[in-house]
């Protein structure tokens, strides 16, 4: 029946015997689908009122000189918080769309060098000349995947590197073979992360320092979006970091994603 989801597990048992465990996870699956739908619906419903509020704030800000200096700081705060809420809602919608797609919807053969150059240009624009950003494309291999999803995952990593690296820092973007796999990595000389946070970084809304993340425009959803995109591509996220020294976030793509030359 399409309403029943079973989870099967085979465990070796004594010699030449196998234990087959069959679990009915339909209730769990149903709750998960309800949770996802709820988040998607709430985010969607919040979008319209927020657009209206943002629009009126814009209108007021265009009425030059009509806001009294006493009110201006409160007005600026309202604009900043509206922008922040819009960003969270957009990220929640992206996350629920990606979570709801069990498989890739828009797979194609991707030319990686233009995509990597695009990433570097976007990262430089975000950095506004505050960091040295360098691309090391050591291989020319191309991938099969979703252009939009991969650009989103990779630019999450590059924009985090920019946002968590103080001015004058270095950011190196590598595209290289590692055995049979191809690896995209972003190394920075930024604030780094204490080891005990690493296992939780891809959880929704997990932030090492929520104050700093908020100040840099973070929502705490970026790495969970990355995790789901990589799952679609059978790729792995690897994180190496040391507090105060910098971080290296890598995406390891399996051989089946690499296009033959
Ligand atoms: P955010 O929107 O808060 O940046 P992410 O999901 O992208 O959320 O990242 C989760 C947390 O991981 C961040 O809040 C930050 O504490 C930490 N983090 C991510 N990338 C880096 C990095 N390159 N350097 C230091 N900390 C990072």
């Amino acid at each position: 029946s399409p309403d029943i989801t079973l989870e099967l597990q085979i465990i070796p048992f004594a010699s030449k015997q196998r234990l087959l465990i069959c679990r009915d996870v339909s209730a769990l699956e149903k709750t998960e689908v309800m949770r996802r739908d709820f988040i998607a619906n709430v985010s969607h419903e919040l979008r319209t009122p927020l657009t209206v509020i943002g629009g009126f704030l814009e209108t007021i800000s265009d009425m030059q000189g009509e806001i009294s200096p006493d009110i201006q700081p409160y007005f600026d705060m309202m604009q900043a918080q509206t922008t922040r809420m819009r960003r969270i809602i957009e990220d929640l919608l992206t996350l629920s769309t990606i979570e709801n797609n069990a498989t890739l919807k828009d797979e194609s053969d991707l030319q990686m060098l233009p995509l990597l150059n695009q990433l570097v240009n976007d990262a430089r624009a975000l950095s506004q000349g505050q960091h040295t950003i360098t691309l090391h494309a050591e291989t020319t291999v191309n991938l099969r995947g979703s252009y939009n999803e991969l650009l989103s995952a990779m630019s999450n990593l590059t924009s985090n590197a920019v946002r968590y690296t103080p001015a004058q820092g270095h950011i190196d973007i590598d595209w290289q073979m590692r055995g049979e796999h191809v690896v995209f990595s972003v190394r920075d000389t930024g604030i780094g992360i204490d080891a005990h946070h690493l296992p939780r970084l891809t959880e929704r809304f997990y932030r090492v320092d929520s104050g700093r993340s908020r100040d840099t425009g973070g929502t705490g959803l970026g790495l969970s979006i990355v995790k789901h995109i990589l799952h679609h591509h059978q790729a792995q996220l690897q994180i190496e970091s040391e507090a105060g020294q910098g971080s290296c976030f890598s995406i390891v793509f399996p051989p089946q994603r690499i296009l033959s030359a």
Side-chain angles (χ1 to χ4, degrees):
S1 153
D3 296 334
I4 295 180
T5 311
L6 298 177
E7 202 176 80
L8 299 177
Q9 196 181 3
I10 300 170
I11 301 175
F13 180 70
S15 68
K16 293 190 182 164
Q17 293 187 44
R18 300 282 180 275
L19 184 68
L20 173 67
I21 300 177
C22 177
R23 253 188 238 114
D24 180 355
V25 290
S26 316
L28 261 177
E29 178 84 3
K30 212 170 148 195
T31 319
E32 177 64 10
V33 170
M34 277 165 66
R35 182 192 64 76
R36 279 191 225 144
D37 286 351
F38 176 75
I39 293 177
N41 291 339
V42 170
S43 311
H44 204 78
E45 289 301 321
L46 288 175
R47 225 185 193 175
T48 312
L50 201 58
T51 306
V52 175
I53 296 171
F56 281 121
L57 288 174
E58 284 288 315
T59 312
I60 298 172
S61 100
D62 288 344
M63 294 154 66
Q64 296 249 326
E66 289 187 35
I67 302 175
S68 101
D70 296 347
I71 294 178
Q72 189 69 48
Y74 302 113
F75 180 78
D76 292 345
M77 219 182 288
M78 280 161 70
Q79 272 197 315
Q81 293 301 328
T82 310
T83 307
R84 189 170 120 68
M85 209 195 287
R86 197 178 287 148
R87 220 177 266 143
I88 295 175
I89 288 171
E90 290 310 320
D91 274 0
L92 276 173
L93 283 169
T94 307
L95 187 58
S96 57
T97 309
I98 289 169
E99 269 186 330
N100 282 334
N101 294 342
T103 52
L104 271 180
K105 292 272 180 286
D106 59 344
E107 213 173 324
S108 63
D109 291 355
L110 306 175
Q111 294 297 312
M112 291 308 289
L113 282 183
L115 190 148
L116 293 167
N117 282 316
Q118 163 91 45
L119 270 175
V120 173
N121 289 339
D122 293 349
R124 287 190 180 135
L126 183 66
S127 147
Q128 296 184 322
Q130 299 204 59
H131 308 92
T132 309
I133 303 178
T134 319
L135 172 66
H136 310 269
E138 289 172 18
T139 173
T140 53
V141 298
N142 291 315
L143 286 184
R144 176 111 189 126
S146 154
Y147 179 86
N148 289 330
E149 289 199 2
L150 287 181
L151 186 64
S152 162
M154 290 171 172
S155 66
N156 256 300
L157 302 186
T158 51
S159 66
N160 277 353
V162 171
R163 292 189 298 115
Y164 298 107
T165 302
Q168 315 305 329
H170 293 261
I171 296 167
D172 290 284
I173 300 168
D174 292 340
W175 181 240
Q176 59 192 8
M177 294 304 295
R178 193 186 292 167
E180 303 263 86
H181 297 73
V182 64
V183 183
F184 168 83
S185 48
V186 183
R187 266 178 297 130
D188 66 54
T189 55
I191 60 171
I193 305 160
D194 258 338
H196 70 277
H197 291 292
L198 297 183
R200 300 197 56 192
L201 284 190
T202 57
E203 288 174 17
R204 282 182 207 96
F205 294 114
Y206 190 84
R207 290 173 293 189
V208 172
D209 175 346
S210 54
R212 187 191 279 262
S213 160
R214 208 173 295 129
D215 291 346
T216 59
T219 61
L221 292 168
L223 290 179
S224 44
I225 293 175
V226 171
K227 182 178 82 175
H228 284 92
I229 292 176
L230 298 197
H231 182 68
H232 285 170
H233 291 82
Q234 300 83 38
Q236 300 286 329
L237 180 66
Q238 292 181 351
I239 311 172
E240 293 158 56
S241 189
E242 209 178 312
Q245 300 298 313
S247 310
C248 181
F249 285 74
S250 304
I251 303 177
V252 183
F253 291 97
Q256 69 264 31
R257 284 274 152 207
I258 301 176
L259 294 173
S260 47

